[in-house]
Amino acid sequence: MKRKLILAAGLIATLSACGGGRGLAGRDRPDEFAVSRQAPLVVPPDFALVPPAPGTPAAASVDASQEAMQAMFGGPAQRSAAESGTLTQAGRADAATGIRSQVGDPDTQVVNKGNTTRDIIAAPEGDGQDARAAVPQ
């Protein structure tokens, strides 16, 4: 009997949570009949666009890779006199055109600089406190 009483009390408590109130979890629901239509979106005319001039290349005939390079890196930039002079002294005219592609090529021949150069490059970065310099006499 006691078991039935506990079961009935639990059932009543469970069912009481379902009734009454202002909707699901105490929230007001939207009125589906109060919905009105919005005016459609209109694209304003663009008066800055002009038709292409006769004889100009079509947009589809432009090379996509050149367009991407132009967008990423821009066109040829004007260099200052100091920058141009530095590049000239560094031998800009002697550099191979595709040198960056050739350096990464596994068939590129390299010169072995020895273990000392390798150790210098592989040395851990430090604050320079252990570094010593000697001037030859």
Side-chain angles (χ1 to χ4, degrees), residues 14-39:
T14 303
L15 288 176
S16 67
C18 296
R22 296 180 344 213
L24 185 64
R27 294 183 299 164
D28 289 331
R29 292 186 302 263
D31 184 9
E32 61 271 8
F33 297 108
V35 177
S36 63
R37 294 186 64 89
Q38 295 286 338

Short mmCIF file of all heavy atoms in Angstrom, two decimals, residues 14-39:
data_model
loop_
_atom_site.label_atom_id
_atom_site.label_comp_id
_atom_site.label_asym_id
_atom_site.label_seq_id
_atom_site.Cartn_x
_atom_site.Cartn_y
_atom_site.Cartn_z
N THR A 14 4.78 14.45 -11.40
CA THR A 14 5.26 14.47 -12.79
C THR A 14 4.24 15.10 -13.70
O THR A 14 4.58 15.93 -14.56
CB THR A 14 5.57 13.03 -13.26
OG1 THR A 14 6.51 12.44 -12.36
CG2 THR A 14 6.15 13.04 -14.66
N LEU A 15 2.98 14.76 -13.54
CA LEU A 15 1.94 15.31 -14.40
C LEU A 15 1.66 16.78 -14.10
O LEU A 15 1.25 17.52 -14.99
CB LEU A 15 0.66 14.49 -14.27
CG LEU A 15 0.72 13.09 -14.90
CD1 LEU A 15 -0.58 12.34 -14.62
CD2 LEU A 15 0.94 13.19 -16.39
N SER A 16 1.89 17.21 -12.89
CA SER A 16 1.62 18.61 -12.57
C SER A 16 2.60 19.54 -13.28
O SER A 16 2.31 20.71 -13.51
CB SER A 16 1.67 18.84 -11.06
OG SER A 16 3.00 18.65 -10.60
N ALA A 17 3.77 19.03 -13.62
CA ALA A 17 4.75 19.85 -14.33
C ALA A 17 4.33 20.10 -15.77
O ALA A 17 4.80 21.03 -16.40
CB ALA A 17 6.12 19.16 -14.30
N CYS A 18 3.46 19.27 -16.31
CA CYS A 18 3.05 19.41 -17.70
C CYS A 18 1.93 20.44 -17.91
O CYS A 18 1.78 20.96 -19.00
CB CYS A 18 2.56 18.07 -18.25
SG CYS A 18 3.84 16.82 -18.30
N GLY A 19 1.17 20.71 -16.93
CA GLY A 19 0.00 21.55 -17.13
C GLY A 19 0.24 23.00 -16.80
O GLY A 19 1.22 23.38 -16.16
N GLY A 20 -0.65 23.86 -17.28
CA GLY A 20 -0.66 25.27 -16.93
C GLY A 20 0.55 26.02 -17.44
O GLY A 20 1.33 25.56 -18.26
N GLY A 21 0.72 27.22 -16.96
CA GLY A 21 1.87 28.02 -17.35
C GLY A 21 1.64 28.76 -18.65
O GLY A 21 0.58 28.73 -19.24
N ARG A 22 2.69 29.43 -19.10
CA ARG A 22 2.58 30.23 -20.31
C ARG A 22 3.28 29.57 -21.48
O ARG A 22 3.81 30.23 -22.35
CB ARG A 22 3.19 31.60 -20.07
CG ARG A 22 2.48 32.39 -19.03
CD ARG A 22 3.12 33.74 -18.82
NE ARG A 22 4.47 33.82 -19.37
CZ ARG A 22 5.44 34.54 -18.86
NH1 ARG A 22 5.24 35.22 -17.77
NH2 ARG A 22 6.63 34.58 -19.41
N GLY A 23 3.37 28.30 -21.49
CA GLY A 23 3.99 27.62 -22.61
C GLY A 23 5.20 26.83 -22.16
O GLY A 23 5.41 26.61 -20.97
N LEU A 24 5.96 26.41 -23.07
CA LEU A 24 7.12 25.57 -22.80
C LEU A 24 8.15 26.34 -21.99
O LEU A 24 8.64 27.38 -22.41
CB LEU A 24 7.72 25.11 -24.14
CG LEU A 24 8.87 24.12 -24.06
CD1 LEU A 24 8.38 22.81 -23.45
CD2 LEU A 24 9.44 23.87 -25.43
N ALA A 25 8.44 25.85 -20.81
CA ALA A 25 9.44 26.42 -19.91
C ALA A 25 9.14 27.88 -19.56
O ALA A 25 10.03 28.68 -19.36
CB ALA A 25 10.84 26.29 -20.50
N GLY A 26 7.89 28.26 -19.51
CA GLY A 26 7.51 29.60 -19.08
C GLY A 26 7.76 30.68 -20.11
O GLY A 26 7.79 31.85 -19.77
N ARG A 27 7.96 30.33 -21.38
CA ARG A 27 8.21 31.33 -22.41
C ARG A 27 6.96 31.56 -23.23
O ARG A 27 6.13 30.67 -23.40
CB ARG A 27 9.33 30.87 -23.35
CG ARG A 27 10.66 30.76 -22.67
CD ARG A 27 11.73 30.37 -23.65
NE ARG A 27 11.36 29.06 -24.23
CZ ARG A 27 11.89 28.55 -25.32
NH1 ARG A 27 12.80 29.22 -25.96
NH2 ARG A 27 11.52 27.38 -25.77
N ASP A 28 6.84 32.75 -23.75
CA ASP A 28 5.75 33.04 -24.67
C ASP A 28 6.13 32.53 -26.05
O ASP A 28 7.26 32.72 -26.50
CB ASP A 28 5.49 34.55 -24.74
CG ASP A 28 4.85 35.07 -23.46
OD1 ASP A 28 4.14 34.28 -22.81
OD2 ASP A 28 5.09 36.24 -23.12
N ARG A 29 5.21 31.88 -26.71
CA ARG A 29 5.45 31.40 -28.06
C ARG A 29 5.10 32.50 -29.05
O ARG A 29 4.21 33.31 -28.80
CB ARG A 29 4.60 30.16 -28.33
CG ARG A 29 5.04 28.96 -27.50
CD ARG A 29 4.26 27.74 -27.93
NE ARG A 29 2.83 27.92 -27.78
CZ ARG A 29 2.11 27.52 -26.75
NH1 ARG A 29 2.71 26.89 -25.77
NH2 ARG A 29 0.83 27.73 -26.69
N PRO A 30 5.74 32.53 -30.20
CA PRO A 30 5.37 33.52 -31.21
C PRO A 30 4.02 33.17 -31.81
O PRO A 30 3.64 32.01 -31.89
CB PRO A 30 6.48 33.42 -32.24
CG PRO A 30 7.06 32.07 -32.07
CD PRO A 30 6.88 31.72 -30.62
N ASP A 31 3.31 34.20 -32.20
CA ASP A 31 2.01 33.99 -32.84
C ASP A 31 2.24 33.78 -34.32
O ASP A 31 2.66 34.68 -35.04
CB ASP A 31 1.12 35.23 -32.60
CG ASP A 31 -0.28 35.03 -33.14
OD1 ASP A 31 -0.61 33.90 -33.55
OD2 ASP A 31 -1.03 36.01 -33.17
N GLU A 32 1.97 32.56 -34.79
CA GLU A 32 2.26 32.26 -36.19
C GLU A 32 1.34 32.99 -37.15
O GLU A 32 1.62 33.10 -38.33
CB GLU A 32 2.21 30.75 -36.44
CG GLU A 32 0.89 30.10 -36.17
CD GLU A 32 0.75 29.62 -34.73
OE1 GLU A 32 1.59 29.93 -33.89
OE2 GLU A 32 -0.24 28.95 -34.46
N PHE A 33 0.23 33.52 -36.67
CA PHE A 33 -0.69 34.25 -37.54
C PHE A 33 -0.33 35.74 -37.62
O PHE A 33 -0.90 36.46 -38.44
CB PHE A 33 -2.13 34.08 -37.05
CG PHE A 33 -2.58 32.65 -37.11
CD1 PHE A 33 -2.74 31.92 -35.95
CD2 PHE A 33 -2.80 32.04 -38.33
CE1 PHE A 33 -3.15 30.61 -36.00
CE2 PHE A 33 -3.21 30.72 -38.39
CZ PHE A 33 -3.38 29.99 -37.22
N ALA A 34 0.58 36.20 -36.80
CA ALA A 34 0.96 37.61 -36.80
C ALA A 34 2.16 37.88 -37.72
O ALA A 34 2.68 38.97 -37.73
CB ALA A 34 1.29 38.06 -35.38
N VAL A 35 2.60 36.88 -38.45
CA VAL A 35 3.76 37.03 -39.34
C VAL A 35 3.33 37.78 -40.59
O VAL A 35 2.32 37.48 -41.20
CB VAL A 35 4.33 35.66 -39.72
CG1 VAL A 35 5.48 35.81 -40.70
CG2 VAL A 35 4.80 34.93 -38.47
N SER A 36 4.11 38.78 -40.96
CA SER A 36 3.80 39.52 -42.19
C SER A 36 4.97 39.38 -43.15
O SER A 36 6.10 39.12 -42.75
CB SER A 36 3.56 41.00 -41.88
OG SER A 36 4.73 41.57 -41.36
N ARG A 37 4.72 39.58 -44.41
CA ARG A 37 5.76 39.46 -45.43
C ARG A 37 6.58 40.74 -45.48
O ARG A 37 6.05 41.84 -45.38
CB ARG A 37 5.13 39.19 -46.79
CG ARG A 37 4.45 37.83 -46.86
CD ARG A 37 3.97 37.54 -48.25
NE ARG A 37 5.04 37.43 -49.22
CZ ARG A 37 5.70 36.32 -49.52
NH1 ARG A 37 5.38 35.22 -48.87
NH2 ARG A 37 6.64 36.30 -50.43
N GLN A 38 7.89 40.56 -45.66
CA GLN A 38 8.77 41.70 -45.81
C GLN A 38 8.85 42.06 -47.29
O GLN A 38 8.63 41.22 -48.16
CB GLN A 38 10.18 41.34 -45.32
CG GLN A 38 10.26 41.06 -43.84
CD GLN A 38 10.15 42.33 -43.02
OE1 GLN A 38 10.42 43.42 -43.52
NE2 GLN A 38 9.73 42.20 -41.78
N ALA A 39 9.15 43.29 -47.56
CA ALA A 39 9.33 43.72 -48.94
C ALA A 39 10.56 43.01 -49.52
O ALA A 39 11.54 42.80 -48.81
CB ALA A 39 9.52 45.23 -49.00
#
